[in-house]
Every structure is written in structure tokens, then in C-alpha cells.
Amino acid sequence: MRRYIPALLALAVLAGVLLLLWQRQPAVLETPPPAGSPTAAHVAAAPGQVPAPTIASFRLAGVAAGGQTMYAAIEDPHGVSALYRLGDEVAGLGRVAEIAPQQVRIETAGGPLVMRLQPAPTKSPTVTRQPRTTPVTPVPAAATSPAGSALESLP
């Protein structure tokens, strides 16, 4: 058992050094998303009037299964999501005709509409790390334990 202790200690020190090197990488902000969001599309209205929602201003936010029933989470133009089952009426859009794992088919006055899952628009930048361009130099195992340490005296 004692012969494994130096190897485990060296491995722990190496992992700590690699963690420190990884944390020193500069964080880079992705480019911010475009100002418009998929849920903010409206038809132009006269001054003083509320714009009418368009089909493009609705978003399929998610699909879920509860037992034998499938649900579609649809976000309206105001950013409010609601759950709909097969046959439910979506105000301002139409009737839910089919729910699949990645999409929903809505029967609208203008014909069928297929909505696919879309990510929610985000207004805050996301922090990501850029890949390291210089190679990482491993620390020699001999340099990890000081001379005369208690580990060297173990049999």
C-alpha cells in the first residue's frame, strides 16, 4: 500500500498544476446575439396601435411527454409560454394537429404550419474558452516532491 502513495501524490500534484494552467486561459466573450429575437417579430402598425402578432413571432420552446400524452410548450409574441395538447387551440395561431419530439404541426387559417424547436434568444453574452495555442509542458514528477521529504524516507 505504501508504494502507491508517491504515485498518487505525484498524480494529484500533476492534476492540480494542469487545473491551474487551464484556469489561466483568458475567457473570451462570444459575439452578442442580434438585437431582434424570434419572438419579437410583429407586423408594422399605425402609431398608437398595438402591432398584430405574426406566425413568425411564435416559438416552439419545448416538447414533453406525460404518460401517453404529448405536450408542446409554445411561446407567444409577448414571451409567455403555455403547454398545449393535441387538438388544443393556440390563440392567434391555430389548432395543434401533431406533436413530435422535435416539431409541432399547427393547422392555421392559411394551411398547416410546422414549428421546429428553437433556442430561446439570449441578451447576455456567453463566456467561452478559446483552445490553447501553445503546448502544455508537463511538470517532471521529480520536481513535485522536495528533497528530504518524508516520502523519500518510506520503504
Side-chain angles (χ1 to χ4, degrees):
M1 179 69 178
R2 289 183 182 220
R3 62 182 172 170
Y4 295 115
I5 292 176
L8 290 174
L9 182 62
L11 184 62
V13 170
L14 179 63
V17 169
L18 290 175
L19 180 64
L20 287 175
L21 290 174
W22 179 73
Q23 288 179 343
R24 290 183 49 151
Q25 291 181 6
V28 178
L29 294 178
E30 288 181 355
T31 57
S37 70
T39 58
H42 294 289
V43 175
Q49 290 183 343
V50 176
T54 64
I55 289 176
S57 62
F58 289 86
R59 179 178 74 89
L60 179 60
V63 176
Q68 298 293 326
T69 307
M70 295 283 290
Y71 297 93
I74 299 176
E75 184 177 296
D76 70 10
H78 306 291
V80 178
S81 294
L83 290 178
Y84 297 93
R85 292 180 295 197
L86 198 62
D88 285 352
E89 189 74 23
V90 181
L93 194 58
R95 185 182 58 80
V96 178
E98 179 185 355
I99 301 175
Q102 297 290 320
Q103 65 186 27
V104 171
R105 186 170 50 89
I106 307 285
E107 291 296 332
T108 67
L113 166 72
V114 176
M115 299 176 73
R116 290 183 173 70
L117 282 175
Q118 295 179 1
T122 178
K123 295 181 181 175
S124 60
T126 305
V127 177
T128 59
R129 295 192 182 273
Q130 292 294 329
R132 183 178 284 279
T133 57
T134 57
V136 176
T137 307
V139 177
T144 59
S145 62
S149 71
L151 292 179
E152 292 179 1
S153 63
L154 294 175

